[in-house]
Amino acid sequence: MSTHSTSTLEPDFTTALPRRSLLHRAYLLMRTADELARLYEENKTVTAKYVHATARGHEAIQLAAAFQLRPTDCATPYYRDDAMLLGMGLSPYELMLQLLAKRDDPFSGGRTYYGHPSLRRPGFPLIPHQSSATGMQAIPATGMAHGIKYLEGQGLLTSADQQPVVLCSIGDGAMTEGEVAEALQMAVLHQLPIVYVVQDNDWGISATGREMRAMNAYEFAAGFKGLHRLQLDGADFLASHSGMEEAFAYARRTRGPVLVHAKCPLLGHHTSGVRREWYRGDNLTQHALSDPLPRFHQQLLSLGFAETELTALADEARATVAADYKRALTAPAPDPATYLDHEFAPPAVIVESGERSPANAGKALMVDAALHAVDDILQEFPEALFYGQDVGGELGGVFREAALLAKKYGDARVFNTPIQEAYIVGSTAGMSAVGAKAIVEIQFADYIWPSLNQLVEELSKSCYLTNGKFPVQSLIRVPIGAYGGGGPYHSGSIESTLLTIRGIKVVYPSNAADMKGLLRAAFLDPNPVVLLEHKGLYWSKVPGTEDAKTTEPAAGYVIPLGKAAVAQQADAAKLRNGETCVVITYGMGVYWAKTASRELPGQVEILDLRTLNPLDYDAVEAAVRRHGKVLVLTEEPLLNSFAESLAGRIQRTCFRQLDAPVFTLGAANLPAIPLNVELERQMLPNAEKVGAMLQELLNY
């Protein structure tokens, strides 16, 4: 490949036994990793401009793992795994391009840290985006294995004869993360083809293993029934290669999970920003006794390699690294003009299509429109699956929003998960990477918080930090909102928090027709989409929400994301006379405004945003300019909310067209919604409160 140094060996993924050629390659790459670490330290004024970590001390287990991978496999290396990347076939030059944040960094184009790979390249394992957050890669990696298992079961995996396996590399300190336990639970529950390689050097940053954990990863994994375990000397290449060969053979043969605990020394700095001399003391000397490089050197001599041959390999590694560094220093930097590229992948749906109001179609409740939309998708797209808490089996969701789907499509496609919000959301990143298309559900908006690590770190940043290679197709359904005494943990509104997360889309339909069209568009969109579904609108039982029940669109009906709709028009004559205003809102706010406006016939236009990100600000500005008086209405507590932000933006861009300050109305600024219905009523907006504010606005 053009980006490889001429002296760098091409990967040989078919090699299974430690033949002479493999040992030759392993020694060359171990020396190469050593030379990388040495060069980075000698040139730290340049190389430490951006933080990095090296594999020094971990080279043996990393190369042993890399040599098991096939082009049909997947991998999630972590930030110390440069030797593993060399073992997969990446060149030192390519790694240095990322080290120096250069334009041609093959992973991110200079956007993310050294050792944070993402790769879609023929002949190489698939490597999706992973963040720096320790342990977070375990869930997307397990999601990839889950997706592979699903696609295999559906006969959709063209590489099924290769028995693809996922390699998840992780540090022992990260094994204490709760999300790692979620990943292991799902791996054993569904018997997924994944190998977890735990590199244990007995250090976090400055905290030792005895400070951080009561047991090592091998001991911890004993609690997961059905998880095959191995314990290796990760500083011994021959032992590591044999153990990794066994681990991958087991995963390929049984399609079940394996955990490999490999003990390694830490010979380099934790990262370039945390110097080993600050805290290691005599420990560094002790770790040096387990250095894998001199040990492997002696093993090769005993196996018949000549000292001159090993010296030549060391010289070759040194020359390659030096030459590649010289090239990398002069490689072009990213064009600053490209900094905005790849926030999102281009949308799949850009125009409304299909029949919104078919002849002779009956009216549908919003909850049924959602059910039918998912049903249509599962019929049409065999790669689609649906999971979450209580959505499978007999119940089909606590709101019956998935009723009978599990019976219709089987437990492999529609299934219950444990109470693991992080896994539900984060697994979709892995699913997307391998071509499975997940629709998932968080049971109530109030319980989305455990998933935010995954939503923020793994899903939202993936497209941008991989230069567009790995957008995450993920549809996350979230019942939201308050009505009738749901109380503090089943009534919350969360949209403002979600809208501070860049790289995700947030959709909020207010009626059955929009639900069906927007849900399909959200599924087809190649980016993460959170679909907020107001529980009080599901059945149109709340007084004033009767219009949420609409004629049901035909199968295939779709509405592009980011397009607002006028839910109620003002009278043209009153508009000409300057007697009107516009309410900009979404969800339940549409119906509060409709009910309130009955006392002001013809004077109130209602703009239903439908999608909060991307926001149809052109429609907002047009409505503001039509009327000159604006109320931004939300169900959320108002302080520091999306509604207040939108009001401020309107004030700035439409100041000359305003005939009054932009009014805002939302819930009281309280931390939770009380259980008692009268207390709830006092806290939330309602038609009466909206009506009073509209009167004030029109009279301004």
Side-chain angles (χ1 to χ4, degrees):
M1 299 177 186
S2 60
T3 53
H4 285 192
S5 299
T6 55
S7 59
T8 300
L9 295 176
E10 291 292 322
D12 178 11
F13 292 109
T14 62
T15 304
L17 297 173
R19 296 190 298 265
R20 186 177 181 86
S21 60
L22 183 144
L23 296 173
H24 180 283
R25 180 166 174 253
Y27 187 77
L28 174 62
L29 293 180
M30 197 177 291
R31 280 290 187 184
T32 302
D34 178 57
E35 290 297 333
L36 285 175
R38 190 188 316 278
L39 181 141
Y40 294 168
E41 182 64 12
E42 290 172 353
N43 297 273
K44 60 178 177 288
T45 56
V46 176
T47 60
K49 179 179 180 181
Y50 306 110
V51 70
H52 66 270
T54 68
R56 199 66 191 88
H58 292 232
E59 301 96 328
I61 185 62
Q62 289 184 19
L63 291 171
F67 289 174
Q68 309 306 319
L69 288 165
R70 301 171 179 172
T72 49
D73 291 331
C74 304
T76 58
Y78 86 128
Y79 58 77
R80 196 178 304 287
D81 285 351
D82 53 6
M84 186 180 292
L85 295 172
L86 292 172
M88 292 181 195
L90 277 298
S91 71
Y93 176 67
E94 291 176 298
L95 302 187
M96 290 172 185
L97 290 176
Q98 187 176 50
L99 173 81
L100 300 171
K102 296 292 188 172
R103 181 194 68 191
D104 298 327
D105 155 28
F107 308 130
S108 73
R111 292 182 174 189
T112 198
Y113 293 123
Y114 180 76
H116 288 58
S118 57
L119 197 68
R120 284 189 189 273
R121 182 184 288 179
F124 284 75
L126 184 76
I127 308 176
H129 160 77
Q130 301 109 80
S131 73
S132 284
T134 56
M136 297 304 99
Q137 73 271 35
I139 284 178
T142 308
M144 281 196 290
H146 205 156
I148 287 168
K149 183 99 172 218
Y150 170 72
L151 294 172
E152 282 180 337
Q154 299 295 312
L156 299 173
L157 200 63
T158 56
S159 59
D161 59 319
Q162 296 290 321
Q163 296 176 305
V165 167
V166 177
L167 171 64
C168 177
S169 176
I170 193 168
D172 196 65
M175 292 298 292
T176 59
E177 293 274 8
E179 293 180 25
V180 175
E182 292 191 20
L184 295 177
Q185 181 71 242
M186 289 299 285
V188 298
L189 187 62
H190 290 268
Q191 283 297 293
L192 304 177
I194 184 167
V195 176
Y196 301 96
V197 177
V198 184
Q199 299 177 52
D200 182 2
N201 61 34
D202 205 38
W203 282 95
I205 295 179
S206 66
T208 63
R210 68 178 179 274
E211 295 176 85
M212 295 186 294
R213 59 181 185 252
M215 64 197 79
N216 67 31
Y218 182 80
E219 295 162 336
F220 174 70
F224 293 90
K225 185 179 179 181
L227 179 61
H228 187 59
R229 296 181 298 147
L230 296 172
Q231 198 157 21
L232 305 177
D233 181 351
D236 183 325
F237 175 76
L238 296 179
S240 293
H241 185 272
S242 176
M244 292 310 305
E245 195 172 46
E246 177 187 340
F248 272 78
Y250 178 92
R252 292 196 200 282
R253 183 179 72 255
T254 69
R255 314 308 290 142
V258 184
L259 183 137
V260 178
H261 175 244
K263 195 73 175 175
C264 311
L266 178 63
L267 301 181
H269 306 293
H270 171 78
T271 64
S272 56
V274 183
R275 310 289 298 175
R276 60 192 179 189
E277 58 267 21
W278 292 345
Y279 63 96
R280 292 288 298 278
D282 293 340
N283 178 264
L284 185 60
T285 303
Q286 296 166 9
H287 276 226
L289 298 175
S290 301
D291 189 336
L293 185 51
R295 184 188 298 193
F296 192 37
H297 187 101
Q298 290 301 316
Q299 288 173 331
L300 292 180
L301 291 176
S302 68
L303 290 171
F305 282 73
E307 185 70 56
T308 54
E309 183 179 2
L310 299 183
T311 300
L313 291 173
D315 290 343
E316 180 184 347
R318 187 177 304 112
T320 297
V321 169
D324 282 5
Y325 182 61
K326 186 176 180 180
R327 288 176 61 204
L329 287 174
T330 59
D335 180 354
T338 65
Y339 82 103
L340 287 174
D341 294 353
H342 305 300
E343 177 191 6
F344 290 114
V349 176
I350 56 175
V351 295
E352 184 175 1
S353 63
E355 293 183 86
R356 184 178 177 95
S357 301
N360 302 318
K363 285 199 168 186
L365 295 168
M366 208 162 108
V367 69
D368 290 336
L371 169 64
H372 299 159
V374 174
D375 192 1
D376 292 342
I377 288 167
L378 293 173
Q379 286 188 55
E380 187 176 348
F381 299 95
E383 67 272 30
L385 63 167
F386 180 40
Y387 54 93
Q389 294 167 29
D390 300 304
V391 302
E394 296 291 332
L395 183 62
V398 295
F399 301 104
R400 302 292 288 156
E401 71 282 5
L404 303 180
L405 291 180
K407 285 187 174 294
K408 185 172 183 178
Y409 295 103
D411 292 338
R413 293 193 74 187
V414 181
F415 57 88
N416 293 325
T417 65
I419 302 172
Q420 294 183 344
E421 288 83 4
Y423 185 85
I424 291 168
V425 170
S427 61
T428 66
M431 293 273 183
S432 177
V434 299
K437 298 179 179 178
I439 305 170
V440 299
E441 182 179 303
I442 299 295
Q443 198 163 79
F444 291 91
D446 304 82
Y447 300 125
I448 199 170
W449 311 121
S451 74
L452 286 199
N453 256 348
Q454 293 293 324
L455 185 61
V456 173
E457 301 295 353
E458 309 304 330
L459 275 69
S460 74
K461 294 178 172 64
S462 182
C463 186
Y464 185 75
L465 290 182
T466 64
N467 252 0
K469 293 192 301 294
F470 285 95
V472 175
Q473 180 176 33
S474 173
L475 171 51
I476 304 163
R477 297 181 61 189
V478 184
I480 191 171
Y483 75 99
Y489 300 109
H490 300 82
S491 307
S493 291
I494 61 168
E495 57 267 30
S496 288
T497 299
L498 295 175
L499 291 166
T500 64
I501 304 170
R502 315 305 170 196
I504 66 170
K505 298 185 178 183
V506 180
V507 180
Y508 205 140
S510 68
N511 60 69
D514 286 351
M515 170 67 86
K516 194 165 188 180
L518 290 169
L519 192 153
R520 183 178 177 85
F523 171 79
L524 294 173
D525 200 280
N527 304 287
V529 182
V530 180
L531 182 67
L532 301 177
E533 307 175 13
H534 200 294
K535 307 186 302 293
L537 301 179
Y538 266 160
W539 298 284
S540 290
K541 289 182 179 179
V542 176
T545 65
E546 294 78 13
D547 288 349
K549 184 177 180 180
T550 68
T551 300
E552 181 165 8
Y557 173 68
V558 67
I559 302 169
L561 306 185
K563 294 294 181 183
V566 175
Q568 177 175 287
Q569 292 184 327
D571 179 77
K574 292 186 178 183
L575 176 62
R576 286 193 299 271
N577 292 334
E579 302 175 51
T580 62
C581 66
V582 60
V583 179
I584 299 172
T585 189
Y586 52 93
M588 186 65 80
V590 171
Y591 300 98
W592 291 328
K594 279 189 173 186
T595 301
S597 67
R598 291 173 190 159
E599 303 299 318
L600 302 163
Q603 292 186 267
V604 180
E605 176 179 316
I606 302 171
L607 183 68
D608 183 356
L609 294 175
R610 301 199 296 191
T611 302
L612 308 185
N613 187 35
L615 177 66
D616 189 354
Y617 197 67
D618 289 343
V620 170
E621 283 194 326
V624 172
R625 287 172 177 148
R626 274 196 300 275
H627 301 279
K629 293 182 177 180
V630 186
L631 168 62
V632 181
L633 174 61
T634 180
E635 184 171 326
E636 288 192 293
L638 193 59
L639 185 64
N640 300 326
S641 65
F642 162 71
E644 280 199 333
S645 173
L646 179 56
R649 185 174 174 188
I650 292 168
Q651 212 105 268
R652 180 174 60 82
T653 65
C654 301
F655 182 75
R656 294 180 182 276
Q657 288 77 38
L658 289 170
D659 296 321
V662 177
F663 281 32
T664 56
L665 179 61
N669 298 313
L670 294 169
I673 295 172
L675 180 64
N676 180 275
V677 289
E678 289 305 317
L679 295 176
E680 177 191 271
R681 185 174 183 278
Q682 289 299 312
M683 179 180 177
L684 294 176
N686 56 35
E688 183 181 350
K689 294 175 186 178
V690 173
M693 187 155 284
L694 290 175
Q695 286 282 7
E696 181 183 353
L697 177 61
L698 289 166
N699 292 334
Y700 190 89

PDB file of all heavy atoms in Angstrom, residues 31 169 190 209 243 320 512 548:
ATOM      1  N   ARG A  31      10.701  -5.269  17.756  1.00  0.00           N
ATOM      2  CA  ARG A  31      11.762  -4.273  17.676  1.00  0.00           C
ATOM      3  C   ARG A  31      11.233  -2.937  17.154  1.00  0.00           C
ATOM      4  O   ARG A  31      11.641  -1.870  17.613  1.00  0.00           O
ATOM      5  CB  ARG A  31      12.878  -4.776  16.760  1.00  0.00           C
ATOM      6  CG  ARG A  31      13.826  -5.761  17.411  1.00  0.00           C
ATOM      7  CD  ARG A  31      14.679  -5.066  18.442  1.00  0.00           C
ATOM      8  NE  ARG A  31      15.711  -5.938  18.988  1.00  0.00           N
ATOM      9  CZ  ARG A  31      16.527  -5.588  19.964  1.00  0.00           C
ATOM     10  NH1 ARG A  31      16.414  -4.386  20.509  1.00  0.00           N
ATOM     11  NH2 ARG A  31      17.432  -6.423  20.410  1.00  0.00           N
ATOM     12  N   SER A 169      -9.692  -5.402  23.100  1.00  0.00           N
ATOM     13  CA  SER A 169      -8.515  -5.204  23.939  1.00  0.00           C
ATOM     14  C   SER A 169      -8.854  -4.208  25.038  1.00  0.00           C
ATOM     15  O   SER A 169      -9.471  -3.171  24.784  1.00  0.00           O
ATOM     16  CB  SER A 169      -7.360  -4.679  23.084  1.00  0.00           C
ATOM     17  OG  SER A 169      -6.239  -4.385  23.879  1.00  0.00           O
ATOM     18  N   HIS A 190     -25.942 -14.362  25.464  1.00  0.00           N
ATOM     19  CA  HIS A 190     -26.237 -14.673  24.058  1.00  0.00           C
ATOM     20  C   HIS A 190     -25.142 -15.497  23.398  1.00  0.00           C
ATOM     21  O   HIS A 190     -25.242 -15.774  22.197  1.00  0.00           O
ATOM     22  CB  HIS A 190     -26.466 -13.376  23.282  1.00  0.00           C
ATOM     23  CG  HIS A 190     -27.736 -12.672  23.637  1.00  0.00           C
ATOM     24  ND1 HIS A 190     -28.922 -12.883  22.968  1.00  0.00           N
ATOM     25  CD2 HIS A 190     -28.013 -11.786  24.610  1.00  0.00           C
ATOM     26  CE1 HIS A 190     -29.877 -12.138  23.510  1.00  0.00           C
ATOM     27  NE2 HIS A 190     -29.356 -11.462  24.511  1.00  0.00           N
ATOM     28  N   GLY A 209      -2.801  -1.887  41.204  1.00  0.00           N
ATOM     29  CA  GLY A 209      -3.889  -2.848  41.191  1.00  0.00           C
ATOM     30  C   GLY A 209      -4.470  -3.106  42.562  1.00  0.00           C
ATOM     31  O   GLY A 209      -5.687  -3.215  42.715  1.00  0.00           O
ATOM     32  N   GLY A 243      -1.605 -19.243  23.566  1.00  0.00           N
ATOM     33  CA  GLY A 243      -2.853 -18.963  24.262  1.00  0.00           C
ATOM     34  C   GLY A 243      -3.859 -18.240  23.394  1.00  0.00           C
ATOM     35  O   GLY A 243      -5.064 -18.564  23.411  1.00  0.00           O
ATOM     36  N   THR A 320      13.642   1.747   9.525  1.00  0.00           N
ATOM     37  CA  THR A 320      12.265   2.014   9.090  1.00  0.00           C
ATOM     38  C   THR A 320      11.630   3.115   9.931  1.00  0.00           C
ATOM     39  O   THR A 320      11.015   4.048   9.391  1.00  0.00           O
ATOM     40  CB  THR A 320      11.422   0.733   9.200  1.00  0.00           C
ATOM     41  OG1 THR A 320      11.940  -0.246   8.316  1.00  0.00           O
ATOM     42  CG2 THR A 320       9.962   1.009   8.854  1.00  0.00           C
ATOM     43  N   ALA A 512     -49.860  10.905  15.243  1.00  0.00           N
ATOM     44  CA  ALA A 512     -49.632   9.561  14.715  1.00  0.00           C
ATOM     45  C   ALA A 512     -48.988   9.577  13.331  1.00  0.00           C
ATOM     46  O   ALA A 512     -48.077   8.792  13.051  1.00  0.00           O
ATOM     47  CB  ALA A 512     -50.966   8.804  14.670  1.00  0.00           C
ATOM     48  N   ALA A 548     -53.963  14.159  18.202  1.00  0.00           N
ATOM     49  CA  ALA A 548     -52.784  13.300  18.051  1.00  0.00           C
ATOM     50  C   ALA A 548     -53.142  11.999  17.343  1.00  0.00           C
ATOM     51  O   ALA A 548     -52.269  11.328  16.783  1.00  0.00           O
ATOM     52  CB  ALA A 548     -52.168  12.994  19.416  1.00  0.00           C
TER      53      ALA A 548
END
